[in-house]
Amino acid sequence: MDRDFHLSTGQSNPIASSQSSMDGTSVKNASDSATEVKLRAIREACKIKDLEALADLATSRLGLVFDEVRRETWPILLGVDEGEDGSEKVKGPEDLAEHRAEHQVQLDVDRSFVYYPANLPSKELDKRKEQLSDVINQVLRHYPFLHYFQGFHDICQVFLLVLGPQLATSCVTRLCLTRIRDFMLSSLTPALVHLHLLPDILQAEDGELCRHLSDTQPFFALAATLTLFAHDIQDYKDIARLFDALLAREPVFSIYLFATIIIWRRSELLEIPPDEPEMLYSILCKLPQRLDLDKIIVDAVVLQAKHPPVSLRSWRKISSYSVLKTARSATQAASQASDDGIALFHKQAAQLRFSEFRQDTYKLLSKYKRPATTISLAVFVGLLSWWMSKSGTISKTVKTAARYPPTPTAPPTQPVKIVPASKQQLTIGARVSGNFLPPPVTASSSSSSSKRYLWTLSFYAQFFDVDTAEVLRRCATPIFPRGPNFLDVLDGNPDLYGPFWIATTVVMILFLTGTISLYLSRKGEGHFAYDFRLLSGAAGLIYGYTGIIPIALWGALKWFGSESANLLECLALYGYANIIWIPVALISWSPITILNMVFVGIGFVVSALFLFRNLNPVLSATDAKTSKVLLILVVALHAGLAIAVQILFFAHGSPATKKGKNKDGG
């Protein structure tokens, strides 16, 4: 005589033993010969853990029949280790840190056990709720990276009633890591992506019905698929029967099950006009309470075999780390290690964060289309000017006028001698005394066409008269301070091309990396919104420093009697000194503030030494006291720039971060 089914824990289950009144009968009074044959087949499949045979038995008529059978079979289908009862691997909730969602868990638990079991005494109901809370909190505390969703308690309630509290904990843990992992991410976006398989299934099976529902988004199936139908099925016997099939099949089966229910309701749905999507949505959100689950499950199996997931158009949109793709069969789900499930969870979470960042970027660009267009136009004009300069469209005329001026009628002014950098008396762009801009090259009084006036393009083109190789050579000088003196590299031909685009590049990189740093500092605090004050702050800081400080320095030098001070070379010196902030900004966005401070400090030292080396000989032309004061001011202002960069863009306690938090909290 075959033995009866027993609990895998070897203990009696006071909760499950009271369920015979809910599932209508027990193993002992199962007199139907077909049922006896099925029970014997289930028993044999459990002995050898034949998952394929169990799947066929669970999806056929009556499913796994009784709760006693389910307590033996469900752990096998979920891949729970033999002998694991939840008391050894999973610690009690009091031994682990509290999960962030426990307040919501308690609110949901207080609303549980509404439909079943019925007519429980108040004291017994409170005990069940306490056990349900313990099961949920054990799982969440042991795996704190899981995100609780409303409806999870409905699933746990079914496991608790069928399996008892200890075995339910282990089975729910496996369920979370291998079957409903997508639902426990920080966002329900993956769950919504699953639902897009519904229209594809309907289109493949019933094109007319699909077209009728084309204006209705498939999100009506979210509550049912998210809770494995536990939120919608109000009869205990039905939900236990449905769980037999859902646990015996792969995770995507719940989508085919809902599609089958829609097809079963075809006549009802076609009677509703297609131009009333709200009514269709409302009807589809609620499942009929009288369902022939045995027939629906069999039809869903046939539907999946007829239109497998890989044949559906939306299947490619499913993440490769999703449970739908990493558990394509019940055997694969049961054999998947819990550690593999955890690793896949974190990979999908990272993929989800990147996807959300990309979508937010698209939304932001769409929202700020006008400023983005303006910036793009500015970049286009800059690239066009660079191309024209490189191709010679502008510079040929300018170079010809500059290098071959007409023979002057009066003796030319004696040029001031450029002293090498190694000497103390180094001049910045020695030219005619008192000039701070390159004098326009003028022809004779009769040749007005060769003059370059302030309002002409050729006047400004001379400040950008430099090729790519020369710009790169000038960019390398601040990074390698042991190289030639920068003023020797300029060779009396300073440009504004390099300073302008270097400053613009620094502004954009500071904004991007500052945004990344801000995102990392506010990770886990809700929806992240871009702060364009970082962009305006970066522009004001870099453009202001690069433009105002050189002018102020030139003015001070002129005030203290320096005849050789040249404004263009001051601007070029400070502009090219900004080159070091590009690599610094690219590596200083990590969440480790002290590491960012080290990188910014290195950038300050390198650029400050570059400025000191080139300005010291010039400042020495004034008296000793003035020279020392000016040098200290130069270094102090540069230190202020470095501190501002660190605090505004790469510190998690930056004002931008605090403002963003206050705004969210207010």
Side-chain angles (χ1 to χ4, degrees):
M1 185 71 181
D2 292 329
R3 62 180 177 85
D4 291 335
F5 279 91
H6 60 278
L7 291 178
S8 60
T9 61
Q11 302 172 350
S12 62
N13 182 2
I15 293 181
S17 62
S18 65
Q19 300 310 119
S20 59
S21 61
M22 289 186 288
D23 59 16
T25 184
S26 64
V27 174
K28 293 181 179 180
N29 59 14
S31 57
D32 183 82
S33 59
T35 303
E36 287 286 2
V37 172
K38 183 168 189 177
L39 290 175
R40 191 177 297 111
I42 295 173
R43 187 178 301 119
E44 293 300 323
C46 286
K47 285 181 181 179
I48 61 175
K49 294 186 177 181
D50 187 346
L51 295 181
E52 292 185 4
L54 286 176
D56 292 338
L57 292 165
T59 53
S60 61
R61 183 177 177 272
L62 298 180
L64 298 177
V65 189
F66 306 115
D67 282 355
E68 288 89 341
V69 182
R70 294 182 178 107
R71 286 191 288 276
E72 185 78 21
T73 310
W74 282 11
I76 296 175
L77 294 174
L78 288 168
V80 175
D81 294 337
E82 186 175 359
E84 182 182 334
D85 61 0
S87 60
E88 297 178 1
K89 182 177 180 180
V90 183
K91 301 178 182 178
E94 67 279 355
D95 300 326
L96 299 167
E98 183 175 331
H99 193 273
R100 58 189 173 276
E102 289 191 20
H103 175 67
Q104 184 61 50
V105 170
Q106 191 57 49
L107 293 176
D108 290 344
V109 167
D110 290 340
R111 296 191 292 264
S112 59
F113 301 104
V114 175
Y115 301 112
Y116 50 81
N119 303 319
L120 276 183
S122 177
K123 186 176 180 180
E124 181 67 19
L125 183 61
D126 291 340
K127 182 181 177 181
R128 297 285 179 90
K129 290 182 177 180
E130 183 179 352
Q131 291 171 334
L132 178 59
S133 179
D134 286 345
V135 169
I136 298 174
N137 289 335
Q138 280 181 348
V139 176
L140 294 180
R141 289 188 179 188
H142 198 80
Y143 299 97
F145 54 83
L146 295 176
H147 292 261
Y148 176 81
F149 61 89
Q150 287 185 281
F152 181 64
H153 70 289
D154 293 320
I155 299 174
C156 295
Q157 175 180 315
V158 177
F159 277 94
L160 176 65
L161 293 174
V162 173
L163 304 177
Q166 290 185 335
L167 191 56
T169 301
S170 296
C171 288
V172 170
T173 298
R174 286 287 301 169
L175 184 82
C176 292
L177 297 178
T178 61
R179 286 181 167 271
I180 62 170
R181 189 175 62 237
D182 293 12
F183 306 156
M184 308 203 76
L185 291 160
S186 60
S187 168
L188 288 178
T189 300
L192 298 177
V193 174
H194 293 186
L195 300 182
H196 288 291
L197 296 174
L198 270 175
D200 293 347
I201 298 172
L202 295 177
Q203 178 63 40
E205 180 65 18
D206 191 334
E208 181 184 359
L209 180 59
C210 182
R211 288 189 295 273
H212 188 75
L213 302 176
S214 59
D215 292 334
T216 306
Q217 292 296 322
F219 305 141
F220 49 75
L222 180 62
T225 55
L226 195 66
T227 63
L228 303 182
F229 296 86
H231 181 74
D232 296 273
I233 303 296
Q234 298 177 6
D235 183 78
Y236 174 79
K237 189 170 112 177
D238 286 344
I239 191 59
R241 166 69 187 94
L242 197 57
F243 267 47
D244 293 340
L246 291 172
L247 299 181
R249 300 285 303 188
E250 56 271 42
V252 75
F253 184 68
S254 62
I255 304 294
Y256 284 90
L257 199 62
F258 201 98
T260 302
I261 294 174
I262 294 177
I263 294 172
W264 268 55
R265 305 176 69 182
R266 185 179 194 277
S267 300
E268 175 190 3
L269 295 172
L270 289 178
E271 290 177 358
I272 302 173
D275 56 354
E276 295 185 13
E278 296 84 3
M279 183 176 295
L280 286 169
Y281 187 93
S282 177
I283 291 176
L284 288 167
C285 281
K286 300 176 182 179
L287 296 183
Q289 288 307 306
R290 295 182 177 272
L291 292 171
D292 186 352
L293 290 179
D294 285 333
K295 186 68 170 68
I296 289 175
I297 290 171
V298 171
D299 287 353
V301 172
V302 173
L303 183 64
Q304 182 175 350
K306 189 176 179 182
H307 309 292
V310 292
S311 67
L312 305 177
R313 183 179 57 181
S314 297
W315 181 251
R316 60 183 178 85
K317 298 179 182 178
I318 305 293
S319 168
S320 58
Y321 306 120
S322 167
V323 291
L324 300 192
K325 289 188 175 179
T326 59
R328 302 195 186 195
S329 67
T331 303
Q332 189 177 7
S335 61
Q336 188 177 96
S338 296
D339 289 340
D340 292 338
I342 294 172
L344 290 168
F345 177 93
H346 290 300
K347 289 180 180 179
Q348 190 174 4
Q351 188 181 62
L352 180 62
R353 288 193 297 270
F354 176 76
S355 177
E356 290 176 344
F357 178 81
R358 183 178 57 190
Q359 290 178 5
D360 289 344
T361 302
Y362 290 155
K363 291 180 181 177
L364 199 64
L365 291 176
S366 177
K367 181 178 179 181
Y368 295 95
K369 186 185 300 183
R370 183 171 298 177
T373 303
T374 304
I375 294 174
S376 301
L377 182 60
V379 172
F380 172 76
V381 172
L383 291 175
L384 180 62
S385 64
W386 171 80
W387 175 81
M388 293 176 67
S389 174
K390 185 177 180 180
S391 63
T393 305
I394 295 177
S395 58
K396 285 182 180 179
T397 304
V398 176
K399 289 180 180 180
T400 302
R403 296 179 181 177
Y404 303 101
T407 304
T409 55
T413 305
Q414 183 67 28
V416 180
K417 183 178 180 181
I418 304 290
V419 183
S422 57
K423 305 287 180 145
Q424 277 291 319
Q425 289 296 326
L426 182 65
T427 60
I428 298 185
R431 286 186 178 86
V432 179
S433 175
N435 289 342
F436 63 93
L437 287 174
V441 180
T442 358
S444 60
S445 55
S446 59
S447 305
S448 59
S449 61
S450 62
K451 295 180 181 180
R452 288 184 290 174
Y453 295 102
L454 196 64
W455 56 84
T456 62
L457 179 63
S458 60
F459 179 84
Y460 297 98
Q462 63 184 318
F463 306 141
F464 295 84
D465 183 20
V466 61
D467 55 27
T468 303
E470 182 63 24
V471 170
L472 294 177
R473 189 167 74 95
R474 296 179 180 187
C475 287
T477 305
I479 301 177
F480 304 102
R482 289 187 174 275
N485 187 280
F486 183 72
L487 298 177
D488 291 339
V489 173
L490 290 181
D491 194 23
N493 184 31
D495 70 283
L496 296 181
Y497 181 90
F500 173 76
W501 286 111
I502 290 173
T504 302
T505 304
V506 172
V507 168
M508 298 306 298
I509 294 179
L510 281 178
F511 169 62
L512 294 176
T513 54
T515 299
I516 294 174
S517 181
L518 183 62
Y519 171 77
L520 294 176
S521 69
R522 299 177 60 188
K523 184 178 177 182
E525 297 181 9
H527 178 71
F528 175 75
Y530 293 91
D531 191 347
F532 269 84
R533 289 173 297 183
L534 289 175
L535 179 59
S536 58
L541 179 65
I542 300 302
Y543 287 135
Y545 179 83
T546 308
I548 295 175
I549 301 302
I551 295 175
L553 178 62
W554 169 80
L557 289 173
K558 298 295 288 184
W559 177 266
F560 289 107
S562 175
E563 296 294 333
S564 59
N566 182 269
L567 177 58
L568 274 182
E569 290 187 344
C570 284
L571 290 169
L573 182 67
Y574 270 83
Y576 280 100
N578 287 331
I579 191 70
I580 191 62
W581 297 116
I582 295 178
V584 168
L586 288 173
I587 61 177
S588 299
W589 52 266
S590 75
I592 306 175
T593 302
I594 188 65
L595 184 62
N596 297 339
M597 293 176 64
V598 171
F599 291 146
V600 173
I602 293 173
F604 163 71
V605 171
V606 172
S607 54
L609 286 176
F610 170 74
L611 291 175
F612 178 84
R613 181 187 179 196
N614 288 279
L615 288 177
N616 186 42
V618 179
L619 298 178
S620 299
T622 61
D623 61 86
K625 183 177 180 180
T626 302
S627 173
K628 185 178 297 185
V629 170
L630 290 177
L631 199 57
I632 292 174
L633 284 175
V634 167
V635 176
L637 290 171
H638 200 64
L641 172 68
I643 294 172
V645 167
Q646 166 62 28
I647 293 178
L648 293 177
F649 302 98
F650 304 124
H652 284 196
S654 70
T657 303
K658 293 178 180 178
K659 288 179 182 178
K661 288 182 179 179
N662 293 337
K663 185 177 180 180
D664 293 342

